[in-house]
Amino acid sequence: MVILIVFLLGIGNFAAQKAVLESGHPMLDALPSFYRTGGGRFSLWFEFFILLAAMLLAGNGWTGMAWAYGVYSLINFAIAWIILSGKI
């Protein structure tokens, strides 16, 4: 059950990340070029490795990792909402 929750949060993180990358927000111009190349593939791969690590650790009994990934996801969602709603 814990792995499923982490996986669903990961799907949300990917969606939020992709939406921010496609928003064309001026703040994205401040990112290093390797982070932006290929439509943000580097950042999506980084997100994948964070999700993979969280799922592997949560699956091996580290339930605290699921909580940590949940907090990480909430922060991610909040920042994506702030950027996409034009508050920044």
Side-chain angles (χ1 to χ4, degrees):
M1 185 66 171
V2 174
I3 294 175
L4 178 64
I5 293 170
V6 171
F7 179 72
L8 293 175
L9 287 171
I11 291 171
N13 281 328
F14 275 102
Q17 183 87 0
K18 189 67 172 169
V20 168
L21 288 171
E22 290 179 353
S23 71
H25 194 277
M27 188 170 64
L28 295 173
D29 294 335
L31 294 174
S33 62
F34 71 88
Y35 199 79
R36 290 179 283 145
T37 56
R41 283 196 186 105
F42 177 80
S43 63
L44 293 174
W45 275 105
F46 184 73
E47 187 70 45
F48 170 75
F49 286 119
I50 292 173
L51 173 62
L52 181 64
M55 288 179 66
L56 287 172
L57 290 171
N60 285 313
W62 292 42
T63 54
M65 182 52 67
W67 284 103
Y69 192 75
V71 170
Y72 166 77
S73 296
L74 288 175
I75 293 169
N76 238 7
F77 298 151
I79 291 171
W81 177 76
I82 290 170
I83 291 172
L84 295 173
S85 66
K87 306 246 184 239
I88 286 186

